[in-house]
Amino acid sequence: MQQAIKKVVIAGGGTAGWMTASLLRKVLGKQVEVELVESEDIGIIGVGEATIPPIQTFNQFLGIDEKEFLRETNGTIKLAIKFENWRVKGESYFHTFGAPGANLGFCNFQHYLMRAHQNGMKKSLWDFDLNYLCCRGGVFNKISTQNPMFDIPYAYHFDSALYGKYLRKLSESAGVKRTEGIIEHIKQCEKTGNILGLQLKNGIQIEGDLFVDCTGSRALLTQKTLGVEYEDWSHWLPADSALAVQTDRFDSTLPYTRSIAHDNGWQWRIPLTNRNGNGIVYSSNYTDDEQAHDRLVNNLDSKAVNDVRKISFKTGRTKQQWHKNVIAIGLSSGFLEPLESTSIHLIQSAVVRLLKLFPHNGITQSVIDLYNQESQVEYETVRDFIILHYHVNERTDSDFWIDMREMAIPERLQNKIDVFAAVGNMFNDQHDIFRDASWLQVMLGQGINPQDYHPAANVPSLEQLNETLDKIAEAKQQPLSKMLPHDEFLKHYLGA
Ligand code: FAD
């Protein structure tokens, strides 16, 4: 007889811990007791400021009011990431959350565009993307539309430490018990190896049926106690260090993240309402801390308001995200550099998966296996998407970029690149969080030009095709008249 799950214990109270606690409590209500242990002495990693659109669903499900959330977290709107100097120095492209173009029938929009390009049309993919047009003008507004052509999917930039605090307030008022203290010892069942309880330094003992390891890169329960192995991906993604610093806000707030490639990695700029988040990501195999530090501080757009902080990491994931009666969520489950702002989303997706498969009548190996298979594909497809940015480059200015271009990449990614290069199509993996429009923008942005387009794009006459494309581009401009400069939108939406 399996043991019913009556109590979940969450170890760790960073973004992962509080996102897990709030959603478990919301969905499972009073059927399952939720207790979270965290230590103020240890603290949280305290970086992580850019997200992707599904965070809206997460907040809405918790009943969070968007205006309150933005005020509480100093949040701003994020429509895209601008990648600068990635293919070659001096060039940039956007990966927006929008869907460029329109649905034109049997084959995807890019095929029609490729035919038009071959016949001299000058408009780029992004001229058909409302998110891009808003980024270009630095504007945003919430418009209600039934027409998917005019959707403007967005995410947020926010202070993740404040987000954690906000979720803590909501979770505690919904009945999550929070216990302060340092976990010193972990009690295991001698027979099964399952975790039975946590012993804190202050003498408190906490028992539970199911444990969630949200202890960040310490991975106390999964890697340290259960000995779950870590799969190292640094041969594909060699960055192992970041330096982070906060600076004064700019006069005007961009509605997108900037990712600026440098000789041996890249630098981020994330605008919040009260300040900017900045950082540099690099590989210690190619550059040292001092050089990276100089590059960061010499490339800040405004005055630093705190000290530069170093964070080291190893890219990869735990081989099993669920092992025995413990699930790793957050940085304890793996690390992927924040190039596509995916970590907070991976937390969300892991908690949703846990809830879908929640073993209220007892844990079975088949459920564990399914959970692990799904999270493996999800992690690997994000990894591949990140590798794509590095691998498909034409930079010749450093060994770093040459090595990234020449390395062998995962087979699944190589297949995706080959298919796109040959016939301009993408294929999706079921648990890939990035859809066609994302892969398309990064493939084109990094400089892959398909050799061929789909024959269905030859059906309209060239005149008809150009006319249709002109009309779509024109239509995409229309909502711009309703947009406000980003700061004005925030002021108007949130109050002074
Ligand atoms: P942590 O924040 O480290 O929390 C760990 C918790 O465990 C803390 O509460 C700690 O007190 C507790 N703990 C640990 N040991 C013990 C113990 N012995 N006893 C009791 N408690 C303990 N993600 C994004 O989505 N977007 C971004 O833009 C982004 N940028 C990033 C930039 C950098 C440089 C880095 C390194 C990461 C970035 N991330 C980003 C990732 C993001 O920061 C994390 O995914 C997120 O903060 C979740 O962290 P966590 O909760 O897993 O770990």
Side-chain angles (χ1 to χ4, degrees), residues 282-294:
Y282 57 100
S283 163
S284 58
N285 290 336
Y286 292 87
T287 188
D288 59 33
D289 294 348
E290 210 173 310
Q291 277 175 332
H293 181 277
D294 289 350

Side-chain angles (χ1 to χ4, degrees), residues 69-267:
F69 154 78
L70 286 168
R71 278 191 214 108
E72 293 268 341
T73 61
N74 298 325
T76 65
I77 300 296
K78 175 182 171 189
L79 301 173
I81 304 176
K82 183 181 183 193
F83 288 97
E84 303 173 33
N85 304 334
W86 278 83
R87 185 178 78 82
V88 288
K89 271 185 174 180
E91 227 187 51
S92 66
Y93 70 92
F94 279 78
H95 167 203
T96 78
F97 299 135
N103 187 350
L104 290 181
F106 183 75
C107 65
N108 288 338
F109 180 77
Q110 73 263 19
H111 296 281
Y112 294 97
L113 192 60
M114 279 185 254
R115 179 179 170 215
H117 280 162
Q118 285 183 11
N119 288 284
M121 211 203 49
K122 294 281 177 262
K123 288 188 179 74
S124 84
L125 178 78
W126 290 273
D127 291 319
F128 299 88
D129 181 346
L130 192 45
N131 275 50
Y132 166 74
L133 297 174
C134 289
C135 288
R136 199 175 62 181
V139 295
F140 177 72
N141 210 344
K142 285 163 79 82
I143 50 171
S144 65
T145 172
Q146 302 298 321
N147 186 345
M149 271 243 307
F150 300 128
D151 275 346
I152 311 180
Y154 64 92
Y156 311 108
H157 302 118
F158 59 69
D159 183 328
S160 68
L162 294 178
Y163 185 51
K165 282 189 185 149
Y166 182 60
L167 292 181
R168 172 181 163 185
K169 200 164 67 182
L170 293 180
S171 306
E172 287 191 291
S173 62
V176 172
K177 181 175 177 199
R178 173 190 180 274
T179 302
E180 169 66 31
I182 294 182
I183 303 161
E184 203 173 44
H185 179 68
I186 294 168
K187 208 163 83 189
Q188 280 178 273
C189 170
E190 278 179 15
K191 217 163 99 196
T192 61
N194 278 349
I195 290 184
L196 300 173
L198 311 177
Q199 163 111 43
L200 310 191
K201 209 170 165 184
N202 55 19
I204 297 175
Q205 304 222 25
I206 298 166
E207 292 184 347
D209 307 309
L210 186 73
F211 289 79
V212 187
D213 185 352
C214 295
T215 58
S217 50
R218 287 179 177 78
L220 271 189
L221 278 60
T222 35
Q223 293 175 53
K224 294 259 161 60
T225 305
L226 297 184
V228 177
E229 277 178 58
Y230 194 80
E231 197 175 323
D232 182 352
W233 289 338
S234 50
H235 50 295
W236 287 311
L237 292 167
D240 56 7
S241 311
L243 300 176
V245 67
Q246 298 169 2
T247 54
D248 278 337
R249 71 178 294 276
F250 302 135
D251 293 340
S252 67
T253 311
L254 296 175
Y256 55 85
T257 306
R258 286 178 69 194
S259 162
I260 309 154
H262 59 77
D263 299 357
N264 298 297
W266 62 281
Q267 206 171 325

Side-chain angles (χ1 to χ4, degrees), residues 241-482:
S241 311
L243 300 176
V245 67
Q246 298 169 2
T247 54
D248 278 337
R249 71 178 294 276
F250 302 135
D251 293 340
S252 67
T253 311
L254 296 175
Y256 55 85
T257 306
R258 286 178 69 194
S259 162
I260 309 154
H262 59 77
D263 299 357
N264 298 297
W266 62 281
Q267 206 171 325
W268 76 82
R269 300 238 176 99
I270 298 179
L272 307 188
T273 51
N274 62 329
R275 61 163 174 85
N276 288 325
N278 303 267
I280 190 163
V281 173
Y282 57 100
S283 163
S284 58
N285 290 336
Y286 292 87
T287 188
D288 59 33
D289 294 348
E290 210 173 310
Q291 277 175 332
H293 181 277
D294 289 350
R295 183 174 293 275
L296 174 67
V297 296
N298 293 333
N299 282 296
L300 295 173
D301 280 352
S302 53
K303 202 168 122 267
V305 294
N306 68 351
D307 291 335
V308 175
R309 187 158 70 98
K310 178 167 181 198
I311 301 157
S312 301
F313 50 82
K314 189 196 275 183
T315 296
R317 64 181 277 278
T318 53
K319 283 192 177 157
Q320 293 132 307
Q321 314 251 306
W322 184 337
H323 187 49
K324 299 192 184 288
N325 64 339
V326 185
I327 296 110
I329 295 185
L331 297 178
S332 62
S333 69
F335 186 86
L336 284 163
E337 61 187 82
L339 186 63
E340 282 286 354
S341 323
T342 41
S343 263
I344 293 173
H345 179 77
L346 288 171
I347 296 170
Q348 172 178 344
S349 170
V351 192
V352 170
R353 183 172 301 120
L354 170 60
L355 278 166
K356 256 185 2 205
L357 299 173
F358 196 80
H360 63 283
N361 278 330
I363 299 167
T364 58
Q365 193 55 45
S366 53
V367 163
I368 296 181
D369 291 344
L370 181 59
Y371 183 97
N372 285 335
Q373 276 157 20
E374 288 190 6
S375 39
Q376 180 180 349
V377 179
E378 185 173 64
Y379 247 94
E380 286 178 357
T381 47
V382 175
R383 173 201 68 193
D384 290 354
F385 192 49
I386 295 174
I387 297 173
L388 173 69
H389 299 64
Y390 281 109
H391 178 64
V392 184
N393 81 78
E394 292 163 37
R395 290 183 60 146
T396 49
D397 52 306
S398 72
D399 287 348
F400 175 77
W401 289 104
I402 294 167
D403 290 351
M404 292 307 284
R405 185 167 57 246
E406 289 180 352
M407 74 181 169
I409 57 173
E411 199 183 336
R412 177 168 32 200
L413 173 60
Q414 189 62 61
N415 289 340
K416 280 186 179 157
I417 293 175
D418 292 346
V419 168
F420 185 71
V423 293
N425 270 333
M426 266 79 50
F427 58 87
N428 280 136
D429 291 290
Q430 199 193 348
H431 300 289
D432 187 352
I433 62 181
F434 292 103
R435 302 283 94 196
D436 281 5
S438 292
W439 284 90
L440 175 66
Q441 292 178 72
V442 177
M443 296 250 199
L444 287 178
Q446 291 294 139
I448 306 175
N449 286 312
Q451 284 169 6
D452 201 4
Y453 58 82
H454 196 279
N458 284 326
V459 172
S461 70
L462 198 53
E463 203 181 11
Q464 281 169 334
L465 177 64
N466 284 334
E467 200 182 312
T468 307
L469 293 178
D470 283 346
K471 275 190 186 147
I472 295 170
E474 216 178 285
K476 292 271 181 177
Q477 298 270 348
Q478 281 165 19
L480 294 179
S481 62
K482 298 187 191 119

